[in-house]
Amino acid sequence: MESSFAEYILAERDWVKKMEIMYYLKKKASLFFDPSVVFKTLLLKLFLEVTDLEVEQNLALTANLLCNCKKTENPSDLSKVQSYAKDGAEYLSLLGFQDKFCRICEEVNRYSGLKPRELEADTLELVDQFGGMLLVRPERAAFKVEDAVVLLEYRNLKDCDNLYLITFINFIEQMEKITTNYRSTLNAENNNTVGVSRIGRGIISEFAEEFNKISRQNALTMYDKEKQLSISIKTASRLYEMAKLAIEETETKEIQEEKKEKPVIPTAADIEAMKRMDEREFLK
């Protein structure tokens, strides 16, 4: 029996390969997938790796890649802003995802008012809210990390009872210290190795360029107390390629009127066929 798209992407444990799958899903079904998704997914991955939350990492990362699939590129359309998560969850159910997964995606924001909330949904909400503030928008500049942290706690998620809010804030503050200390150490040792860009830069293209530089090194290792994070040369270079492709498409794409068409329901075989067609681009 042919695998559904849901089975296909959930079975893939390499999170960068998941993003490759998303790239082809976007091409096949014209769904939302841009550099902001790449950025927020990496932020979520780092958060889950340095904490001991009772969430399923594979489920959370996959949901983070898909929860914005029906997101509008026109932020002035408030009805779409408020309904895209619900619309996306309904579409994902057609791809074979179970109710829990669809609920996680719908709960990336609180417009639906679903209760009780899934644990993974609280992690998606955090990176969506915080990561969004670090990105440059047409109507505003990116927020500084310290300002984004304050707004996250006292405005965006005020009275929302997010289970992991304090843990996330501690994680962001620690990551800022790690990055700063890591760069200072490198400068002191006159080492040419490139560290991860500060989270506060908030611009995906710059973020991707940093990973391109990292990919020329053997690996990058950061430490958070007793926990070690390693980003291999393969992962870094492939992440950069994914971000670069998404950036290029976003910069050249014209915003079009949303078309009311029958939803495209791709299968695992559809995605694999598209990947084979582009193998020169991805499989080097």
Side-chain angles (χ1 to χ4, degrees):
M1 179 181 292
E2 187 176 16
S3 298
S4 68
F5 179 82
E7 293 169 329
Y8 174 55
I9 194 169
L10 285 171
E12 179 55 71
R13 295 286 172 161
D14 184 323
W15 71 289
V16 180
K17 288 183 179 179
K18 283 182 186 290
M19 287 195 287
E20 292 179 354
I21 293 172
M22 283 299 303
Y23 170 78
Y24 287 107
L25 177 65
K26 175 185 177 180
K27 292 180 67 175
K28 180 71 175 179
S30 300
L31 301 179
F32 183 87
F33 179 67
D34 78 348
S36 68
V37 179
V38 178
F39 173 73
K40 292 175 183 179
T41 303
L42 176 63
L43 184 60
L44 177 60
K45 183 175 186 293
L46 294 175
F47 176 50
L48 295 178
E49 285 188 343
V50 300
T51 54
D52 296 316
L53 307 184
E54 295 181 357
V55 300
E56 186 180 337
Q57 185 172 142
N58 181 49
L59 203 63
L61 290 174
T62 307
N64 197 68
L65 290 171
L66 286 160
C67 64
N68 294 305
C69 66
K70 290 294 184 177
K71 189 173 184 178
T72 177
E73 296 190 63
N74 180 11
S76 63
D77 189 342
L78 295 181
S79 64
K80 288 295 183 182
V81 169
Q82 295 176 358
S83 67
Y84 78 81
K86 179 177 174 58
D87 294 341
E90 292 174 354
Y91 174 73
L92 292 174
S93 68
L94 299 178
L95 298 186
F97 288 99
Q98 296 182 355
D99 289 345
K100 177 179 178 178
F101 185 91
C102 295
R103 281 180 63 92
I104 292 171
C105 292
E106 186 171 347
E107 292 170 359
V108 65
N109 57 45
R110 303 202 177 217
Y111 289 116
S112 293
L114 296 179
K115 291 184 179 180
R117 287 173 57 82
E118 301 291 339
L119 297 178
E120 289 80 5
D122 276 6
T123 67
L124 268 63
E125 180 181 54
L126 288 166
V127 298
D128 184 63
Q129 293 285 340
F130 181 77
M133 286 189 282
L134 299 186
L135 302 178
V136 174
R137 300 299 189 196
E139 70 278 9
R140 63 160 174 79
F143 286 95
K144 295 180 180 179
V145 169
E146 54 269 28
D147 294 336
V149 168
V150 172
L151 290 172
L152 181 71
E153 183 174 8
Y154 296 104
R155 186 192 68 179
N156 294 29
L157 297 185
K158 182 180 179 181
D159 301 324
C160 284
D161 194 27
N162 185 295
L163 294 177
Y164 307 120
L165 175 60
I166 301 304
T167 303
F168 184 77
I169 290 174
N170 292 337
F171 158 75
I172 293 298
E173 292 175 346
Q174 187 62 32
M175 285 298 295
E176 282 289 275
K177 293 177 182 178
I178 291 171
T179 304
T180 302
N181 293 338
Y182 186 74
R183 284 183 175 273
S184 299
T185 301
L186 293 178
N187 291 335
E189 296 177 354
N190 195 26
N191 192 317
N192 291 324
T193 303
V194 180
V196 171
S197 64
R198 288 179 63 85
I199 296 175
R201 287 191 178 185
I203 302 175
I204 296 299
S205 58
E206 292 185 10
F207 189 84
E209 288 296 335
E210 286 293 334
F211 271 87
N212 187 35
K213 295 173 186 176
I214 293 170
S215 69
R216 301 189 190 109
Q217 312 299 326
N218 292 330
L220 168 70
T221 302
M222 297 183 299
Y223 293 89
D224 176 22
K225 296 181 180 178
E226 298 179 355
K227 211 109 180 191
Q228 176 177 307
L229 295 178
S230 296
I231 303 176
S232 70
I233 179 172
K234 180 179 179 182
T235 300
S237 60
R238 292 177 67 192
L239 171 60
Y240 168 71
E241 290 301 325
M242 273 303 305
K244 181 173 180 292
L245 282 170
I247 291 163
E248 289 173 350
E249 281 211 1
T250 300
E251 290 176 343
T252 58
K253 179 179 177 182
E254 294 182 358
I255 298 178
Q256 302 176 344
E257 291 287 333
E258 181 179 356
K259 299 179 181 179
K260 295 183 179 180
E261 300 176 342
K262 183 178 179 180
V264 177
I265 312 299
T267 64
D270 292 329
I271 302 299
E272 284 296 320
M274 295 180 72
K275 287 172 69 175
R276 285 194 294 272
M277 290 176 63
D278 282 353
E279 63 180 355
R280 289 184 180 180
E281 199 169 347
F282 283 100
L283 304 178
K284 296 180 180 179

